[in-house]
Amino acid sequence: MEYRIVCIPGDGIGPEIVAEAVKVLQKVGEVFGHSFAFEDILMGGCSLDVHGVPLTDEALAKAQAADAVLLGAVGGNVGTSRWYQVAPNLRPEAALLRIRKEMGLFANIRPASLYPELASACPLKAEAAERGFDLVMMRELTGGVYFGEHSTSEENGERVAKDVMTYSETEIRRIAVKAFEIARKRRGKVTSVDKANVLDTSRLWRKVVEDVAKDYPDVTLEHMLVDNCAMQLVRDPAQFDVILTENMFGDILSDEASMVTGSIGMLPSASLGAGKSGLYEPIHGSAPDIAGKGIANPLATILSAAMLLRYSLDLDAEADAVERAVKEMLAEGFRTADIAAGAVPVGTEEMGRLVRERIRR
Ligand code: IPM
Ligand code: MG
C-alpha cells in the first residue's frame, strides 16, 4: 500500500529538518517494504511571498486529503521580518491555526521526557534530573481563547480589546477521552489542569473530565490549578504521567515542560482529530537565526515522523525502529550543536544519515 504524506517544509530551518525526516521515512519504506508518496505544499511566510496568503485553499485541500501531514516550522523574526507587516489573519502563524481548525485537529500530544544520555542538559537540580521524567502533555487545540471572538474597539474614549474564551461540553469530552486512552497505555494517571478557582470554562472542564473518568476506573484522575502545575513542573516533573489541559494553558505549559528536558530540539508533537490523519511537527520554531547553516537539530522532526508512523499509519514496529535508532545514535555520543555540551557537533544532514544507518527490523 502507498501512504500519501503531505510535507510542509515551511520557513527558517523547516526545509532542512523536514528533508532529513523524509529521508528517514524513505529508509523505513525500504527496510519494511512500504511506499510513501510525498508532496510538498507551501505554508507560512514562504506562501505569503508567492501567493499573498500564508495558506491557500488548494494547499489546505491537499493536506486534508493526505494520510498524514509532516510540518517543519512556519514564521520568521516578528521584529524584523516583512511577513509581520500584514493583517493579523495573514501572518504565518494564522496558517497554522487555520490548518489545525480546518483539519479538526483538536488533540495536541506533546511528549516531554528526559533522555538519560542528555541528563546533563536538564536545568533541574541533580536529584530531580537523576529521577528522570516521562510525561505527555495533552493540549486541547481548536477551542478556548485562541478561537473565541477577538476584537479591539473604542469604548468610553479609550481602546478596549477582547478575546473570548469558550468551551463546550463536546469539546472538553473528546479531548478528555484521548487523555484517558493514552494514560491507560502508559502509567495510568491523568492530571487535569485548569483555573477552576476563577474561570467558568474551567469549572465546566472539571465536571466533564470527572464524568469521562467514570469510564476509566483503571486510571487515576487528579485536578491541579495551572499556576501550581507550572511550579510542580520545575519542582518534580516525575509526578506527571498525562497532563490534560485547555489550549492556552497547554501552549504555555508545554514550552515549560520542553525546557525542563533541556533539549527542546528533540521534542516531537502530534495533532490529531477524530479520524486517522494528523499533523506532526517539532515543538520548536523556525529558528531564523540558524536557517541555512546546516546545523539545526533534525531529531524533533524525525521523532515527529515516528509519531506519524505510529498514530496515523498504525506502523508501530516502524515507529519503534526510528525511536530506537535515535537512542542508539545518542548513546554512541553523536550530538548536534544545540545539545553538544562540549562534544564535537555533527550537522543536520550528518545527523539524519546517522539515524538512517541505524534503522533495521
Ligand atoms: C505552538 C505555537 C503556536 C500556538 C503559535 C505559533 C500560534 O506556540 O504550536 O505551541 O500558540 O499554538
Ligand atoms: Mg507554543
Side-chain angles (χ1 to χ4, degrees):
M1 130 158 218
E2 185 176 74
Y3 299 104
R4 288 161 309 139
I5 313 288
V6 159
C7 295
I8 307 180
D11 306 316
I13 58 171
E16 299 162 56
I17 55 183
V18 167
E20 295 314 310
V22 165
K23 283 186 268 178
V24 164
L25 287 173
Q26 280 162 337
K27 179 68 191 270
V28 166
E30 281 164 32
V31 171
F32 288 85
H34 304 299
S35 90
F36 297 102
F38 296 99
E39 183 176 8
D40 283 1
I41 61 170
L42 292 179
M43 186 171 106
C46 57
S47 171
L48 251 182
D49 286 343
V50 177
H51 299 295
V53 290
L55 179 66
T56 63
D57 293 343
E58 297 78 64
L60 176 66
K62 283 183 182 167
Q64 284 171 317
D67 291 314
V69 180
L70 182 66
L71 165 66
V74 296
N77 204 312
V78 181
T80 54
S81 168
R82 62 185 179 285
W83 297 332
Y84 296 88
Q85 317 291 318
V86 295
N89 65 333
L90 290 178
R91 288 178 164 211
E93 287 76 5
L96 191 57
L97 298 186
R98 176 163 181 228
I99 200 169
R100 287 172 179 170
K101 190 73 173 179
E102 303 242 16
M103 288 181 69
L105 306 173
F106 61 83
N108 183 226
I109 306 177
R110 297 183 173 188
S113 61
L114 199 61
Y115 280 78
E117 295 83 4
L118 300 177
S120 61
C122 172
L124 299 182
K125 283 203 189 124
E127 311 96 82
E130 270 153 32
R131 277 184 80 190
F133 64 93
D134 173 17
L135 64 87
V136 169
M137 189 76 67
M138 178 64 81
R139 167 187 174 194
E140 200 290 326
L141 201 60
T142 53
V145 72
Y146 272 60
F147 292 93
E149 219 178 285
H150 305 289
S151 69
T152 309
S153 60
E154 246 345 89
E155 277 176 37
N156 306 319
E158 63 173 349
R159 282 169 302 168
V160 175
K162 288 180 195 157
D163 300 286
V164 178
M165 178 151 173
T166 308
Y167 267 107
S168 72
E169 258 184 274
T170 311
E171 287 173 315
I172 301 168
R173 187 175 304 277
R174 65 188 183 184
I175 185 79
V177 166
K178 292 251 186 207
F180 281 93
E181 289 290 333
I182 281 218
R184 186 170 255 180
K185 293 192 196 155
R186 293 174 45 95
R187 300 193 305 279
K189 181 176 172 190
V190 170
T191 305
S192 176
V193 172
D194 61 39
K195 190 73 186 171
N197 50 349
V198 179
L199 302 175
D200 262 55
T201 43
S202 285
R203 287 187 276 267
L204 180 63
W205 183 278
R206 261 189 202 211
K207 286 198 186 108
V208 175
V209 170
E210 265 166 19
D211 223 38
V212 171
K214 291 183 189 137
D215 296 333
Y216 298 85
D218 49 326
V219 176
T220 311
L221 169 66
E222 69 175 8
H223 299 284
M224 192 178 278
L225 295 174
V226 62
D227 46 352
N228 184 28
C229 181
M231 190 258 280
Q232 296 297 337
L233 272 172
V234 290
R235 197 186 68 84
D236 174 27
Q239 69 185 285
F240 296 111
D241 180 15
V242 176
I243 294 179
L244 162 64
T245 193
E246 67 89 40
N247 203 347
M248 190 159 72
F249 297 160
D251 178 45
I252 299 166
L253 294 176
S254 63
D255 267 32
E256 188 187 0
S258 70
M259 188 60 223
V260 172
T261 68
S263 42
I264 182 161
M266 301 274 309
L267 300 182
S269 78
S271 301
L272 305 174
K276 268 289 168 199
S277 184
L279 176 79
Y280 299 82
E281 56 175 315
I283 71 146
H284 61 71
S286 62
D289 52 320
I290 57 161
K293 295 192 177 151
I295 58 170
N297 186 345
L299 292 179
T301 316
I302 290 171
L303 292 168
S304 299
M307 292 185 89
L308 180 158
L309 292 167
R310 192 182 306 282
Y311 291 112
S312 282
L313 310 185
D314 283 326
L315 300 175
D316 286 297
E318 289 80 345
D320 289 344
V322 174
E323 288 164 0
R324 196 177 50 229
V326 168
K327 286 210 177 98
E328 242 177 71
M329 186 269 317
L330 286 174
E332 288 171 51
F334 297 105
R335 305 280 186 272
T336 43
D338 55 313
I339 51 175
V344 179
V346 302
T348 310
E349 285 184 20
E350 176 71 359
M351 189 62 127
R353 188 180 61 76
L354 289 163
V355 174
R356 285 200 305 283
E357 282 172 2
R358 286 162 182 74
I359 290 175
R360 55 178 183 275
R361 271 173 183 274

